[in-house]
Amino acid sequence: MFGDPRSSAGLNASPDYSLVGLLRIPAAQTSPWISLTRRVLFATALLFTAATVVYIGRDGYRDVTGGELSYLDALYYSTVSLSTTGYGDIAPVTPTARLANIIVITPLRILFLIVLVGTTLSVLTERSRQAFKIQRWRHTVRNHTVVVGYGTKGRTAIDAMIGDGIKQSDIVVVDTDHIALEAAASAGLVTVHGSATKSDVLRLTGVQRAAAVVVATNRDDTAVLVTLTARELNKSAKIVVAIREAENTHLVRQSGADSVVVSSETAGRLLGIATTTPTVVEMMEDLLTPEQGFAVAEREVEPGEVGGSPRHLSDIVLGVVRAGELIRVGEPAVDALDSGDKLLYIRRTGK
């Protein structure tokens, strides 16, 4: 899944324009009819601007009819000039003919030019816009989350993060599958094409300044290598890794993971519980779905709660995080809350 067909040597030092296609910044989706209307209006504004300039300096122009230029004459002159048509042996000389030329012929010329060169110009403009966006993004990205792998686990993790209030612009997806990256880009996420096992590819994501890294690959050995690379580049980021086999947990933790989720065993436990107490599984699903029902959340201990027991709070507290370690409610160590503790509690979410 994560073999990269391109060489990634020196990617982070490459100019921004060369990263177009590898690093993709999402853009707001616009209807093609709206885009076309904007182009036509812009062309019309240019036409009238040119006509006004010609009319102001009309004393410097000569009409073959010998009369003084009217604004209609100036508009006609601008029309044939901007459309690159020019005038010569055949030229309208009556106001009616010139008006017909402006109203009928010119729009047809503009539509022809749009159909003929619009696609090429659009591609060139899009590459320029992407290069500018990449340059700006690389200089401003901070405290974001890098998600390695946009399969089922990666997509579900991102949905949960967005449900918890993380902005889409603060999530970067890394994958080698173009179809997966297209789906991520359509969801408004920044994407990077390449193998996250290579440090240059991870540097493109800004992992050095990331707050968290989620490793959701399909292979445990890939997960270990990605975790090692990410930890080498960022010593303080929170790294969360999903693996398939529990026997690889110690390898991932030794590689630098802060949290490890064993997907196959977790699914197996839920399947086993569902055979006898399916309502427990339903409640677990509720707790893991932040959009509705209940959810497990974390918050700081408030000043008025210091010294008290977590069992006496209005919130249903499951555990206390003290100095980075989780202590379950009921243990003597958390009979009295300290300043700086964090509470893991159940909160009600919106329907």
Side-chain angles (χ1 to χ4, degrees):
M1 173 183 176
F2 284 90
D4 192 354
R6 304 192 204 181
S7 172
S8 61
L11 286 178
N12 198 52
S14 300
D16 298 316
Y17 64 82
S18 68
L19 299 177
V20 176
L22 287 175
L23 176 57
R24 183 173 176 182
I25 311 299
Q29 299 297 319
T30 307
S31 166
W33 290 107
I34 294 177
S35 179
L36 181 61
T37 301
R38 287 175 178 171
R39 293 184 185 184
V40 172
L41 291 176
F42 182 65
T44 303
L46 288 178
L47 175 62
F48 277 94
T49 300
T52 302
V53 171
V54 171
Y55 183 71
I56 292 174
R58 60 187 177 277
D59 293 339
Y61 292 85
R62 184 172 59 87
D63 194 340
V64 293
T65 61
E68 183 180 355
L69 261 68
S70 65
Y71 191 80
L72 181 61
D73 297 327
L75 198 58
Y76 165 74
Y77 176 83
S78 301
T79 299
V80 297
S81 298
L82 292 183
S83 62
T84 69
T85 303
Y87 58 91
D89 55 339
I90 300 176
V93 295
T94 66
T96 302
R98 291 182 174 179
L99 183 61
N101 187 277
I102 294 170
I103 295 176
V104 179
I105 304 301
T106 299
L108 292 178
R109 291 194 192 107
I110 294 174
L111 289 176
F112 176 78
L113 290 173
I114 291 175
V115 172
L116 185 65
V117 302
T119 302
T120 303
L121 290 176
S122 178
V123 170
L124 293 175
T125 304
E126 178 60 26
R127 286 189 65 87
S128 298
R129 281 200 299 262
Q130 276 292 318
F132 175 74
K133 287 180 180 179
I134 288 172
Q135 181 184 43
R136 182 176 59 183
W137 181 83
R138 293 178 71 187
H139 284 87
T140 58
V141 63
R142 295 286 188 283
N143 298 321
H144 56 295
T145 300
V146 177
V147 179
V148 180
Y150 197 67
T152 302
K153 291 182 288 187
R155 289 195 303 271
T156 307
I158 290 173
D159 290 341
M161 287 188 286
I162 293 174
D164 279 336
I166 296 179
K167 298 178 181 179
Q168 292 168 308
S169 58
D170 290 335
I171 300 175
V172 182
V173 174
V174 189
D175 209 312
T176 56
D177 188 337
H178 283 289
I179 297 177
L181 293 180
E182 283 293 332
S186 299
L189 305 172
V190 176
T191 63
V192 173
H193 177 258
S195 173
T197 60
K198 299 180 179 179
S199 59
D200 276 342
V201 173
L202 276 183
R203 285 193 181 96
L204 283 184
T205 70
V207 72
Q208 311 93 304
R209 301 177 297 277
V213 179
V214 176
V215 182
T217 61
N218 289 331
R219 293 170 55 96
D220 287 2
D221 54 350
T222 304
V224 171
L225 186 53
V226 171
T227 304
L228 276 169
T229 307
R231 181 56 74 199
E232 180 184 12
L233 295 174
N234 191 325
K235 303 299 183 183
S236 60
K238 183 176 181 61
I239 300 180
V240 182
V241 185
I243 58 175
R244 303 174 73 89
E245 303 297 334
E247 62 187 21
N248 296 321
T249 301
H250 72 287
L251 291 175
V252 180
R253 288 197 178 276
Q254 289 176 1
S255 301
D258 296 292
S259 299
V260 181
V261 178
V262 184
S263 58
S264 57
E265 288 199 359
T266 301
R269 291 191 189 98
L270 290 176
L271 288 173
I273 294 173
T275 59
T276 55
T277 53
T279 52
V280 173
V281 177
E282 184 177 344
M283 176 57 69
M284 292 298 296
E285 288 288 339
D286 190 338
L287 292 174
L288 294 174
T289 306
E291 293 84 2
Q292 59 182 0
F294 296 95
V296 178
E298 183 181 276
R299 68 173 178 85
E300 300 281 349
V301 171
E302 298 177 359
E305 297 170 342
V306 174
S309 171
R311 289 175 291 183
H312 298 155
L313 300 179
S314 57
D315 294 323
I316 301 176
V317 180
L318 302 177
V320 177
V321 179
R322 179 175 294 169
E325 295 186 3
L326 174 63
I327 306 175
R328 291 168 177 79
V329 170
E331 296 187 18
V334 293
D335 281 344
L337 295 172
D338 294 340
S339 177
D341 287 347
K342 295 181 179 179
L343 301 179
L344 286 180
Y345 71 103
I346 297 177
R347 65 175 173 87
R348 180 180 294 275
T349 60
K351 295 294 184 180

